[in-house]
Amino acid sequence: MASPSSRYDLAGRTALVTGAGGLLGRQHVAALSEAGARVVVTEIGLAQAEAAVAALKQVTPSADLIALALDVTAQDSVRAASEQLAGRGITVDILVNNAAIDPKVTSSPGVMHSSRFEAFPVPQWQTEIAVGLTGAMLCAQEFGGQMTRRGRGVILNIASDLGVIAPDQRLYRQPHVTREEEQPVKPVTYSVIKHGLIGLTKYLATYWADHGVRVNAISPGGVFNNQDPAFVERLTRLIPMGRMAEVDEYRAAVQFLCSDASSYMTGQNLVMDGGRSVW
C-alpha cells in the first residue's frame, strides 16, 4: 500500500489547465507543479500563456511549464493544441477545466441594467456559455477521450459555490440606485454555467467509469482580491467562517482531486466555501 504522501505525487504526469492565466488558474498550475506534474499552461493567446508561465517561473524557477494557445470555444483550436502536444510526445493525464468568464457586477445608469435577467443580452449569454460550459465539453471530448484509450486519467471541473446555491443579489445592491430595474445583479450565466459543470461532472464520471477516468468538480467560494470593502463586509456576513478565502487555499484540494489520493472518488463536487452553502 502506498504511503499517504506518495498518493499526492504527480511526478511523471502531465496536466493541462485551461484559462490558466487568471487569478485561480495560476494557483491551479502552481498546485499541480508543486505536486510534481508537468503543466501545460493554456490561454486563448500564446502571449497570455507565456506571461502566465513567466510569472509562475519567477516564484518557482524549477517548475516544468509549457505555454500553449488554446481557444476552448473552438473545436479546431482544441484539436490543434492536442496535435501540437502529441507532436512533442506529450500526453495529457490530468485536465483542469478552469476557463470561464466571470462578469464583474458594476453599476451604470440606464432604463434597465443589462445584467438583469429581463435585459440580459443573448450574445453575452452565448459567449459566456461557450467559454465556461461548451469549452469544458470540447476539452473533455478531446483530452478525456484520449484518457479512455489509455485507461487512465483525471478531469477536474472548476465550478463555484454559485453552482450549488443561487447568488444573493443583495450583495450587489447599490444604495444610490433608487429604481429596482437599474440595480445591478450577478448575471444568470455564471450560475447556469457552474451548475452545468457539476452536471457534466456527474455525467462523465458515470459515462467513463469503466475506462479508468475519474471526473470530479470543486466549488470554491469567494476569493479575497481587494474587492470593495462594503461588498466584502456584506459577503463575510453570509459565511460562517467570517471571511473570504485566501487565493492559495484551494491548492491542496486541487492536488487531492487530481492525484491518487482521491482514487476512489468520482462524480463528486467538493464544496469549499467557508460554510456559506450550509447556512
Side-chain angles (χ1 to χ4, degrees):
M1 180 179 294
S3 68
S5 59
S6 68
R7 288 185 174 275
Y8 287 88
D9 187 5
L10 294 176
R13 302 186 198 180
T14 297
L16 184 148
V17 181
T18 66
L23 181 69
L24 282 185
R26 295 189 186 192
Q27 294 297 318
H28 304 331
V29 172
L32 295 165
S33 176
E34 184 180 77
R38 171 174 54 185
V39 186
V40 181
V41 178
T42 76
E43 268 292 345
I44 191 169
L46 184 59
Q48 295 98 312
E50 289 175 339
V53 167
L56 289 158
K57 285 276 195 178
Q58 286 184 345
V59 179
T60 311
S62 61
D64 188 356
L65 307 178
I66 300 169
L68 185 68
L70 172 60
D71 179 357
V72 299
T73 70
Q75 192 169 40
D76 288 347
S77 177
V78 175
R79 287 176 176 168
S82 176
E83 290 169 2
Q84 186 175 340
L85 291 173
R88 299 171 62 176
I90 298 172
T91 57
V92 174
D93 306 292
I94 300 162
L95 168 65
V96 179
N97 281 317
N98 174 73
I101 297 174
D102 185 5
K104 302 307 174 187
V105 180
T106 59
S107 179
S108 58
V111 176
M112 174 76 75
H113 196 280
S114 63
S115 66
R116 298 189 71 85
F117 180 74
E118 298 88 343
F120 196 76
V122 171
Q124 186 176 344
W125 165 278
Q126 293 169 330
T127 297
E128 293 177 12
I129 294 287
V131 174
L133 193 51
T134 305
M137 187 272 288
L138 291 175
C139 288
Q141 270 189 334
E142 181 66 27
F143 298 107
Q146 294 173 13
M147 293 174 192
T148 66
R149 293 189 287 276
R150 296 195 301 271
R152 178 184 175 88
V154 174
I155 298 174
L156 176 60
N157 294 320
I158 307 300
S160 165
D161 57 352
L162 297 187
V164 178
I165 58 176
D168 188 337
Q169 304 294 6
R170 295 172 297 181
L171 290 170
Y172 311 103
R173 293 189 68 85
Q174 303 294 320
H176 62 278
V177 177
T178 57
R179 298 178 53 153
E180 183 66 21
E181 64 268 25
E182 294 183 12
Q183 283 286 354
V185 296
K186 187 73 171 180
V188 60
T189 40
Y190 192 79
S191 284
V192 169
I193 289 164
K194 297 305 185 182
H195 276 81
L197 281 174
I198 295 170
L200 179 66
T201 298
K202 295 176 181 179
Y203 180 91
L204 292 178
T206 54
Y207 187 76
W208 281 333
D210 57 351
H211 289 276
V213 178
R214 297 188 301 108
V215 188
N216 289 295
I218 184 171
S219 285
V223 176
F224 181 72
N225 189 31
N226 298 310
Q227 291 95 333
D228 176 67
F231 170 81
V232 173
E233 181 181 358
R234 289 194 295 269
L235 178 55
T236 54
R237 286 201 296 265
L238 301 176
I239 301 172
M241 290 184 69
R243 65 176 179 86
M244 299 178 72
E246 298 296 331
V247 70
D248 62 351
E249 282 193 279
Y250 300 111
R251 284 194 187 186
V254 169
Q255 292 167 345
F256 169 71
L257 291 168
C258 291
S259 71
D260 292 341
S262 59
S263 59
Y264 194 55
M265 181 176 178
T266 196
Q268 302 304 308
N269 176 39
L270 180 62
V271 181
M272 293 184 67
D273 63 354
R276 181 183 175 188
S277 59
V278 179
W279 258 351

